[in-house]
Amino acid sequence: MPRYVYRPSLLGRIFRWSAVVSALYLFLLFLSYLASHALTAVGPFFVVAGLVYGAVFVVRRGRDR
């Protein structure tokens, strides 16, 4: 007697994949909204912090030699 193997229906699979794709789209849309609004205020601080980090890295590397 063959054992019954559960296979989700095609409609269930389609619904699950569409839910995953729509959740990913909404997440990326939220990130885009956050980046467009928050980075205009925080962006210059990131630039300055990156320049300071680069300067410290170069100074440390120069002292090691």
Side-chain angles (χ1 to χ4, degrees):
M1 186 170 177
R3 299 175 80 186
Y4 176 74
V5 177
Y6 172 73
R7 290 192 180 124
S9 67
L10 181 63
L11 187 63
R13 269 193 249 159
I14 290 172
F15 179 74
R16 186 175 13 230
W17 275 107
S18 62
V20 166
V21 169
S22 62
L24 182 64
Y25 173 77
L26 288 175
F27 177 70
L28 291 176
L29 187 69
F30 172 72
L31 281 182
S32 171
Y33 175 80
L34 202 66
S36 67
H37 286 74
L39 284 183
T40 55
V42 184
F45 295 107
F46 281 139
V47 171
V48 171
L51 290 174
V52 169
Y53 178 77
V56 168
F57 180 77
V58 167
V59 168
R60 280 190 184 170
R61 201 174 99 191
R63 286 185 181 171
D64 287 344
R65 289 185 174 191

PDB file of all heavy atoms in Angstrom, residues 23-57:
ATOM      1  N   ALA A  23       6.151  40.726  -0.319  1.00  0.00           N
ATOM      2  CA  ALA A  23       6.820  41.133   0.920  1.00  0.00           C
ATOM      3  C   ALA A  23       8.219  41.678   0.611  1.00  0.00           C
ATOM      4  O   ALA A  23       8.634  42.693   1.192  1.00  0.00           O
ATOM      5  CB  ALA A  23       6.907  39.956   1.882  1.00  0.00           C
ATOM      6  N   LEU A  24       8.924  41.045  -0.299  1.00  0.00           N
ATOM      7  CA  LEU A  24      10.236  41.541  -0.697  1.00  0.00           C
ATOM      8  C   LEU A  24      10.122  42.913  -1.356  1.00  0.00           C
ATOM      9  O   LEU A  24      10.920  43.817  -1.082  1.00  0.00           O
ATOM     10  CB  LEU A  24      10.904  40.542  -1.649  1.00  0.00           C
ATOM     11  CG  LEU A  24      12.304  40.901  -2.126  1.00  0.00           C
ATOM     12  CD1 LEU A  24      13.268  40.918  -0.956  1.00  0.00           C
ATOM     13  CD2 LEU A  24      12.766  39.906  -3.168  1.00  0.00           C
ATOM     14  N   TYR A  25       9.125  43.081  -2.200  1.00  0.00           N
ATOM     15  CA  TYR A  25       8.914  44.377  -2.846  1.00  0.00           C
ATOM     16  C   TYR A  25       8.616  45.458  -1.811  1.00  0.00           C
ATOM     17  O   TYR A  25       9.169  46.568  -1.881  1.00  0.00           O
ATOM     18  CB  TYR A  25       7.760  44.269  -3.845  1.00  0.00           C
ATOM     19  CG  TYR A  25       7.369  45.591  -4.438  1.00  0.00           C
ATOM     20  CD1 TYR A  25       8.140  46.174  -5.429  1.00  0.00           C
ATOM     21  CD2 TYR A  25       6.224  46.257  -4.004  1.00  0.00           C
ATOM     22  CE1 TYR A  25       7.790  47.395  -5.982  1.00  0.00           C
ATOM     23  CE2 TYR A  25       5.870  47.477  -4.535  1.00  0.00           C
ATOM     24  CZ  TYR A  25       6.645  48.050  -5.524  1.00  0.00           C
ATOM     25  OH  TYR A  25       6.296  49.249  -6.042  1.00  0.00           O
ATOM     26  N   LEU A  26       7.745  45.167  -0.854  1.00  0.00           N
ATOM     27  CA  LEU A  26       7.420  46.157   0.170  1.00  0.00           C
ATOM     28  C   LEU A  26       8.630  46.486   1.030  1.00  0.00           C
ATOM     29  O   LEU A  26       8.832  47.639   1.420  1.00  0.00           O
ATOM     30  CB  LEU A  26       6.269  45.649   1.038  1.00  0.00           C
ATOM     31  CG  LEU A  26       4.911  45.644   0.359  1.00  0.00           C
ATOM     32  CD1 LEU A  26       3.869  45.000   1.278  1.00  0.00           C
ATOM     33  CD2 LEU A  26       4.490  47.055  -0.017  1.00  0.00           C
ATOM     34  N   PHE A  27       9.456  45.489   1.341  1.00  0.00           N
ATOM     35  CA  PHE A  27      10.657  45.729   2.122  1.00  0.00           C
ATOM     36  C   PHE A  27      11.632  46.631   1.364  1.00  0.00           C
ATOM     37  O   PHE A  27      12.185  47.580   1.920  1.00  0.00           O
ATOM     38  CB  PHE A  27      11.327  44.388   2.472  1.00  0.00           C
ATOM     39  CG  PHE A  27      12.606  44.541   3.226  1.00  0.00           C
ATOM     40  CD1 PHE A  27      12.599  44.986   4.532  1.00  0.00           C
ATOM     41  CD2 PHE A  27      13.815  44.221   2.628  1.00  0.00           C
ATOM     42  CE1 PHE A  27      13.780  45.133   5.240  1.00  0.00           C
ATOM     43  CE2 PHE A  27      15.001  44.360   3.316  1.00  0.00           C
ATOM     44  CZ  PHE A  27      14.989  44.813   4.625  1.00  0.00           C
ATOM     45  N   LEU A  28      11.822  46.358   0.076  1.00  0.00           N
ATOM     46  CA  LEU A  28      12.726  47.198  -0.720  1.00  0.00           C
ATOM     47  C   LEU A  28      12.155  48.601  -0.911  1.00  0.00           C
ATOM     48  O   LEU A  28      12.902  49.578  -0.933  1.00  0.00           O
ATOM     49  CB  LEU A  28      12.990  46.542  -2.075  1.00  0.00           C
ATOM     50  CG  LEU A  28      13.823  45.265  -2.019  1.00  0.00           C
ATOM     51  CD1 LEU A  28      13.929  44.648  -3.410  1.00  0.00           C
ATOM     52  CD2 LEU A  28      15.202  45.533  -1.454  1.00  0.00           C
ATOM     53  N   LEU A  29      10.847  48.713  -1.031  1.00  0.00           N
ATOM     54  CA  LEU A  29      10.207  50.020  -1.127  1.00  0.00           C
ATOM     55  C   LEU A  29      10.418  50.813   0.160  1.00  0.00           C
ATOM     56  O   LEU A  29      10.706  52.013   0.132  1.00  0.00           O
ATOM     57  CB  LEU A  29       8.717  49.852  -1.416  1.00  0.00           C
ATOM     58  CG  LEU A  29       7.925  51.116  -1.713  1.00  0.00           C
ATOM     59  CD1 LEU A  29       8.342  51.678  -3.060  1.00  0.00           C
ATOM     60  CD2 LEU A  29       6.445  50.807  -1.702  1.00  0.00           C
ATOM     61  N   PHE A  30      10.298  50.129   1.300  1.00  0.00           N
ATOM     62  CA  PHE A  30      10.535  50.782   2.594  1.00  0.00           C
ATOM     63  C   PHE A  30      11.980  51.232   2.710  1.00  0.00           C
ATOM     64  O   PHE A  30      12.263  52.342   3.167  1.00  0.00           O
ATOM     65  CB  PHE A  30      10.173  49.819   3.733  1.00  0.00           C
ATOM     66  CG  PHE A  30      10.555  50.331   5.085  1.00  0.00           C
ATOM     67  CD1 PHE A  30       9.862  51.379   5.660  1.00  0.00           C
ATOM     68  CD2 PHE A  30      11.604  49.755   5.793  1.00  0.00           C
ATOM     69  CE1 PHE A  30      10.209  51.861   6.909  1.00  0.00           C
ATOM     70  CE2 PHE A  30      11.955  50.227   7.036  1.00  0.00           C
ATOM     71  CZ  PHE A  30      11.255  51.281   7.597  1.00  0.00           C
ATOM     72  N   LEU A  31      12.932  50.381   2.280  1.00  0.00           N
ATOM     73  CA  LEU A  31      14.343  50.774   2.317  1.00  0.00           C
ATOM     74  C   LEU A  31      14.604  51.974   1.411  1.00  0.00           C
ATOM     75  O   LEU A  31      15.366  52.870   1.772  1.00  0.00           O
ATOM     76  CB  LEU A  31      15.230  49.599   1.899  1.00  0.00           C
ATOM     77  CG  LEU A  31      15.482  48.532   2.945  1.00  0.00           C
ATOM     78  CD1 LEU A  31      16.427  47.476   2.382  1.00  0.00           C
ATOM     79  CD2 LEU A  31      16.059  49.120   4.202  1.00  0.00           C
ATOM     80  N   SER A  32      13.975  51.993   0.254  1.00  0.00           N
ATOM     81  CA  SER A  32      14.140  53.119  -0.660  1.00  0.00           C
ATOM     82  C   SER A  32      13.588  54.405  -0.044  1.00  0.00           C
ATOM     83  O   SER A  32      14.208  55.466  -0.132  1.00  0.00           O
ATOM     84  CB  SER A  32      13.432  52.815  -1.969  1.00  0.00           C
ATOM     85  OG  SER A  32      13.398  53.945  -2.780  1.00  0.00           O
ATOM     86  N   TYR A  33      12.420  54.307   0.580  1.00  0.00           N
ATOM     87  CA  TYR A  33      11.828  55.475   1.247  1.00  0.00           C
ATOM     88  C   TYR A  33      12.717  55.960   2.371  1.00  0.00           C
ATOM     89  O   TYR A  33      12.961  57.159   2.527  1.00  0.00           O
ATOM     90  CB  TYR A  33      10.444  55.103   1.785  1.00  0.00           C
ATOM     91  CG  TYR A  33       9.802  56.196   2.597  1.00  0.00           C
ATOM     92  CD1 TYR A  33       9.170  57.258   1.970  1.00  0.00           C
ATOM     93  CD2 TYR A  33       9.838  56.160   3.986  1.00  0.00           C
ATOM     94  CE1 TYR A  33       8.585  58.271   2.711  1.00  0.00           C
ATOM     95  CE2 TYR A  33       9.257  57.163   4.735  1.00  0.00           C
ATOM     96  CZ  TYR A  33       8.633  58.218   4.094  1.00  0.00           C
ATOM     97  OH  TYR A  33       8.066  59.211   4.828  1.00  0.00           O
ATOM     98  N   LEU A  34      13.229  55.010   3.156  1.00  0.00           N
ATOM     99  CA  LEU A  34      14.105  55.362   4.267  1.00  0.00           C
ATOM    100  C   LEU A  34      15.379  56.015   3.757  1.00  0.00           C
ATOM    101  O   LEU A  34      15.842  57.013   4.314  1.00  0.00           O
ATOM    102  CB  LEU A  34      14.436  54.099   5.068  1.00  0.00           C
ATOM    103  CG  LEU A  34      14.882  54.275   6.500  1.00  0.00           C
ATOM    104  CD1 LEU A  34      13.733  54.831   7.321  1.00  0.00           C
ATOM    105  CD2 LEU A  34      15.313  52.936   7.060  1.00  0.00           C
ATOM    106  N   ALA A  35      15.952  55.472   2.699  1.00  0.00           N
ATOM    107  CA  ALA A  35      17.191  56.018   2.157  1.00  0.00           C
ATOM    108  C   ALA A  35      16.972  57.416   1.599  1.00  0.00           C
ATOM    109  O   ALA A  35      17.805  58.299   1.791  1.00  0.00           O
ATOM    110  CB  ALA A  35      17.735  55.089   1.086  1.00  0.00           C
ATOM    111  N   SER A  36      15.858  57.631   0.935  1.00  0.00           N
ATOM    112  CA  SER A  36      15.639  58.941   0.326  1.00  0.00           C
ATOM    113  C   SER A  36      15.368  60.017   1.374  1.00  0.00           C
ATOM    114  O   SER A  36      15.706  61.174   1.168  1.00  0.00           O
ATOM    115  CB  SER A  36      14.485  58.878  -0.672  1.00  0.00           C
ATOM    116  OG  SER A  36      13.272  58.644  -0.001  1.00  0.00           O
ATOM    117  N   HIS A  37      14.759  59.643   2.498  1.00  0.00           N
ATOM    118  CA  HIS A  37      14.444  60.644   3.508  1.00  0.00           C
ATOM    119  C   HIS A  37      15.493  60.747   4.599  1.00  0.00           C
ATOM    120  O   HIS A  37      15.808  61.836   5.053  1.00  0.00           O
ATOM    121  CB  HIS A  37      13.076  60.343   4.133  1.00  0.00           C
ATOM    122  CG  HIS A  37      11.952  60.679   3.227  1.00  0.00           C
ATOM    123  ND1 HIS A  37      11.622  59.920   2.127  1.00  0.00           N
ATOM    124  CD2 HIS A  37      11.070  61.705   3.231  1.00  0.00           C
ATOM    125  CE1 HIS A  37      10.594  60.457   1.517  1.00  0.00           C
ATOM    126  NE2 HIS A  37      10.242  61.547   2.155  1.00  0.00           N
ATOM    127  N   ALA A  38      16.036  59.623   5.030  1.00  0.00           N
ATOM    128  CA  ALA A  38      16.970  59.656   6.153  1.00  0.00           C
ATOM    129  C   ALA A  38      18.382  60.001   5.704  1.00  0.00           C
ATOM    130  O   ALA A  38      19.103  60.694   6.411  1.00  0.00           O
ATOM    131  CB  ALA A  38      16.961  58.317   6.879  1.00  0.00           C
ATOM    132  N   LEU A  39      18.781  59.541   4.521  1.00  0.00           N
ATOM    133  CA  LEU A  39      20.162  59.779   4.100  1.00  0.00           C
ATOM    134  C   LEU A  39      20.422  61.228   3.735  1.00  0.00           C
ATOM    135  O   LEU A  39      21.564  61.671   3.779  1.00  0.00           O
ATOM    136  CB  LEU A  39      20.537  58.868   2.933  1.00  0.00           C
ATOM    137  CG  LEU A  39      20.821  57.417   3.314  1.00  0.00           C
ATOM    138  CD1 LEU A  39      21.247  56.639   2.091  1.00  0.00           C
ATOM    139  CD2 LEU A  39      21.890  57.330   4.378  1.00  0.00           C
ATOM    140  N   THR A  40      19.388  61.984   3.412  1.00  0.00           N
ATOM    141  CA  THR A  40      19.607  63.396   3.143  1.00  0.00           C
ATOM    142  C   THR A  40      20.018  64.117   4.418  1.00  0.00           C
ATOM    143  O   THR A  40      20.754  65.100   4.373  1.00  0.00           O
ATOM    144  CB  THR A  40      18.345  64.045   2.563  1.00  0.00           C
ATOM    145  OG1 THR A  40      17.249  63.806   3.448  1.00  0.00           O
ATOM    146  CG2 THR A  40      18.032  63.491   1.194  1.00  0.00           C
ATOM    147  N   ALA A  41      19.574  63.623   5.571  1.00  0.00           N
ATOM    148  CA  ALA A  41      19.951  64.237   6.845  1.00  0.00           C
ATOM    149  C   ALA A  41      21.204  63.593   7.428  1.00  0.00           C
ATOM    150  O   ALA A  41      22.025  64.273   8.039  1.00  0.00           O
ATOM    151  CB  ALA A  41      18.794  64.104   7.840  1.00  0.00           C
ATOM    152  N   VAL A  42      21.366  62.300   7.244  1.00  0.00           N
ATOM    153  CA  VAL A  42      22.461  61.575   7.883  1.00  0.00           C
ATOM    154  C   VAL A  42      23.647  61.386   6.940  1.00  0.00           C
ATOM    155  O   VAL A  42      24.757  61.121   7.387  1.00  0.00           O
ATOM    156  CB  VAL A  42      21.945  60.204   8.388  1.00  0.00           C
ATOM    157  CG1 VAL A  42      23.012  59.438   9.143  1.00  0.00           C
ATOM    158  CG2 VAL A  42      20.734  60.390   9.280  1.00  0.00           C
ATOM    159  N   GLY A  43      23.428  61.557   5.637  1.00  0.00           N
ATOM    160  CA  GLY A  43      24.461  61.310   4.643  1.00  0.00           C
ATOM    161  C   GLY A  43      25.760  62.052   4.871  1.00  0.00           C
ATOM    162  O   GLY A  43      26.838  61.446   4.819  1.00  0.00           O
ATOM    163  N   PRO A  44      25.725  63.363   5.125  1.00  0.00           N
ATOM    164  CA  PRO A  44      26.991  64.079   5.363  1.00  0.00           C
ATOM    165  C   PRO A  44      27.783  63.533   6.549  1.00  0.00           C
ATOM    166  O   PRO A  44      29.017  63.518   6.521  1.00  0.00           O
ATOM    167  CB  PRO A  44      26.541  65.515   5.624  1.00  0.00           C
ATOM    168  CG  PRO A  44      25.234  65.624   4.930  1.00  0.00           C
ATOM    169  CD  PRO A  44      24.597  64.280   5.036  1.00  0.00           C
ATOM    170  N   PHE A  45      27.095  63.066   7.589  1.00  0.00           N
ATOM    171  CA  PHE A  45      27.804  62.485   8.732  1.00  0.00           C
ATOM    172  C   PHE A  45      28.519  61.195   8.325  1.00  0.00           C
ATOM    173  O   PHE A  45      29.632  60.922   8.778  1.00  0.00           O
ATOM    174  CB  PHE A  45      26.832  62.214   9.888  1.00  0.00           C
ATOM    175  CG  PHE A  45      26.231  63.469  10.450  1.00  0.00           C
ATOM    176  CD1 PHE A  45      24.904  63.786  10.208  1.00  0.00           C
ATOM    177  CD2 PHE A  45      27.002  64.344  11.204  1.00  0.00           C
ATOM    178  CE1 PHE A  45      24.355  64.941  10.708  1.00  0.00           C
ATOM    179  CE2 PHE A  45      26.453  65.519  11.712  1.00  0.00           C
ATOM    180  CZ  PHE A  45      25.127  65.815  11.464  1.00  0.00           C
ATOM    181  N   PHE A  46      27.865  60.392   7.461  1.00  0.00           N
ATOM    182  CA  PHE A  46      28.517  59.176   6.958  1.00  0.00           C
ATOM    183  C   PHE A  46      29.751  59.514   6.132  1.00  0.00           C
ATOM    184  O   PHE A  46      30.770  58.841   6.213  1.00  0.00           O
ATOM    185  CB  PHE A  46      27.539  58.351   6.121  1.00  0.00           C
ATOM    186  CG  PHE A  46      26.583  57.535   6.931  1.00  0.00           C
ATOM    187  CD1 PHE A  46      25.248  57.446   6.558  1.00  0.00           C
ATOM    188  CD2 PHE A  46      27.009  56.848   8.044  1.00  0.00           C
ATOM    189  CE1 PHE A  46      24.361  56.687   7.300  1.00  0.00           C
ATOM    190  CE2 PHE A  46      26.131  56.090   8.793  1.00  0.00           C
ATOM    191  CZ  PHE A  46      24.796  56.011   8.421  1.00  0.00           C
ATOM    192  N   VAL A  47      29.655  60.558   5.324  1.00  0.00           N
ATOM    193  CA  VAL A  47      30.800  60.967   4.501  1.00  0.00           C
ATOM    194  C   VAL A  47      31.961  61.400   5.381  1.00  0.00           C
ATOM    195  O   VAL A  47      33.112  60.979   5.191  1.00  0.00           O
ATOM    196  CB  VAL A  47      30.386  62.088   3.519  1.00  0.00           C
ATOM    197  CG1 VAL A  47      31.595  62.676   2.830  1.00  0.00           C
ATOM    198  CG2 VAL A  47      29.389  61.566   2.503  1.00  0.00           C
ATOM    199  N   VAL A  48      31.678  62.231   6.378  1.00  0.00           N
ATOM    200  CA  VAL A  48      32.733  62.694   7.282  1.00  0.00           C
ATOM    201  C   VAL A  48      33.303  61.526   8.074  1.00  0.00           C
ATOM    202  O   VAL A  48      34.527  61.407   8.238  1.00  0.00           O
ATOM    203  CB  VAL A  48      32.191  63.795   8.224  1.00  0.00           C
ATOM    204  CG1 VAL A  48      33.200  64.133   9.314  1.00  0.00           C
ATOM    205  CG2 VAL A  48      31.841  65.033   7.412  1.00  0.00           C
ATOM    206  N   ALA A  49      32.451  60.636   8.546  1.00  0.00           N
ATOM    207  CA  ALA A  49      32.938  59.472   9.298  1.00  0.00           C
ATOM    208  C   ALA A  49      33.798  58.582   8.415  1.00  0.00           C
ATOM    209  O   ALA A  49      34.834  58.064   8.865  1.00  0.00           O
ATOM    210  CB  ALA A  49      31.765  58.679   9.858  1.00  0.00           C
ATOM    211  N   GLY A  50      33.435  58.415   7.155  1.00  0.00           N
ATOM    212  CA  GLY A  50      34.244  57.624   6.241  1.00  0.00           C
ATOM    213  C   GLY A  50      35.599  58.257   5.981  1.00  0.00           C
ATOM    214  O   GLY A  50      36.623  57.567   5.924  1.00  0.00           O
ATOM    215  N   LEU A  51      35.625  59.580   5.833  1.00  0.00           N
ATOM    216  CA  LEU A  51      36.899  60.271   5.628  1.00  0.00           C
ATOM    217  C   LEU A  51      37.795  60.171   6.853  1.00  0.00           C
ATOM    218  O   LEU A  51      39.008  59.955   6.738  1.00  0.00           O
ATOM    219  CB  LEU A  51      36.651  61.737   5.273  1.00  0.00           C
ATOM    220  CG  LEU A  51      36.051  61.989   3.894  1.00  0.00           C
ATOM    221  CD1 LEU A  51      35.707  63.468   3.733  1.00  0.00           C
ATOM    222  CD2 LEU A  51      37.013  61.556   2.805  1.00  0.00           C
ATOM    223  N   VAL A  52      37.217  60.312   8.041  1.00  0.00           N
ATOM    224  CA  VAL A  52      37.999  60.184   9.276  1.00  0.00           C
ATOM    225  C   VAL A  52      38.521  58.765   9.415  1.00  0.00           C
ATOM    226  O   VAL A  52      39.694  58.549   9.765  1.00  0.00           O
ATOM    227  CB  VAL A  52      37.150  60.591  10.506  1.00  0.00           C
ATOM    228  CG1 VAL A  52      37.839  60.219  11.807  1.00  0.00           C
ATOM    229  CG2 VAL A  52      36.852  62.080  10.459  1.00  0.00           C
ATOM    230  N   TYR A  53      37.683  57.773   9.124  1.00  0.00           N
ATOM    231  CA  TYR A  53      38.130  56.379   9.201  1.00  0.00           C
ATOM    232  C   TYR A  53      39.259  56.122   8.213  1.00  0.00           C
ATOM    233  O   TYR A  53      40.247  55.464   8.550  1.00  0.00           O
ATOM    234  CB  TYR A  53      36.952  55.444   8.905  1.00  0.00           C
ATOM    235  CG  TYR A  53      37.327  53.987   8.903  1.00  0.00           C
ATOM    236  CD1 TYR A  53      37.530  53.308  10.090  1.00  0.00           C
ATOM    237  CD2 TYR A  53      37.505  53.300   7.701  1.00  0.00           C
ATOM    238  CE1 TYR A  53      37.888  51.972  10.106  1.00  0.00           C
ATOM    239  CE2 TYR A  53      37.870  51.967   7.693  1.00  0.00           C
ATOM    240  CZ  TYR A  53      38.053  51.308   8.897  1.00  0.00           C
ATOM    241  OH  TYR A  53      38.421  49.993   8.884  1.00  0.00           O
ATOM    242  N   GLY A  54      39.139  56.640   6.999  1.00  0.00           N
ATOM    243  CA  GLY A  54      40.202  56.483   6.009  1.00  0.00           C
ATOM    244  C   GLY A  54      41.490  57.143   6.450  1.00  0.00           C
ATOM    245  O   GLY A  54      42.578  56.585   6.276  1.00  0.00           O
ATOM    246  N   ALA A  55      41.394  58.331   7.029  1.00  0.00           N
ATOM    247  CA  ALA A  55      42.599  59.025   7.502  1.00  0.00           C
ATOM    248  C   ALA A  55      43.266  58.254   8.629  1.00  0.00           C
ATOM    249  O   ALA A  55      44.493  58.101   8.662  1.00  0.00           O
ATOM    250  CB  ALA A  55      42.233  60.435   7.965  1.00  0.00           C
ATOM    251  N   VAL A  56      42.480  57.746   9.568  1.00  0.00           N
ATOM    252  CA  VAL A  56      43.044  56.971  10.678  1.00  0.00           C
ATOM    253  C   VAL A  56      43.695  55.698  10.143  1.00  0.00           C
ATOM    254  O   VAL A  56      44.780  55.308  10.595  1.00  0.00           O
ATOM    255  CB  VAL A  56      41.946  56.649  11.720  1.00  0.00           C
ATOM    256  CG1 VAL A  56      42.411  55.603  12.726  1.00  0.00           C
ATOM    257  CG2 VAL A  56      41.516  57.912  12.432  1.00  0.00           C
ATOM    258  N   PHE A  57      43.073  55.053   9.165  1.00  0.00           N
ATOM    259  CA  PHE A  57      43.638  53.836   8.580  1.00  0.00           C
ATOM    260  C   PHE A  57      44.977  54.122   7.903  1.00  0.00           C
ATOM    261  O   PHE A  57      45.942  53.381   8.068  1.00  0.00           O
ATOM    262  CB  PHE A  57      42.651  53.240   7.580  1.00  0.00           C
ATOM    263  CG  PHE A  57      43.145  51.986   6.923  1.00  0.00           C
ATOM    264  CD1 PHE A  57      43.136  50.787   7.606  1.00  0.00           C
ATOM    265  CD2 PHE A  57      43.603  52.012   5.616  1.00  0.00           C
ATOM    266  CE1 PHE A  57      43.601  49.626   7.006  1.00  0.00           C
ATOM    267  CE2 PHE A  57      44.058  50.860   5.007  1.00  0.00           C
ATOM    268  CZ  PHE A  57      44.061  49.666   5.711  1.00  0.00           C
TER     269      PHE A  57
END
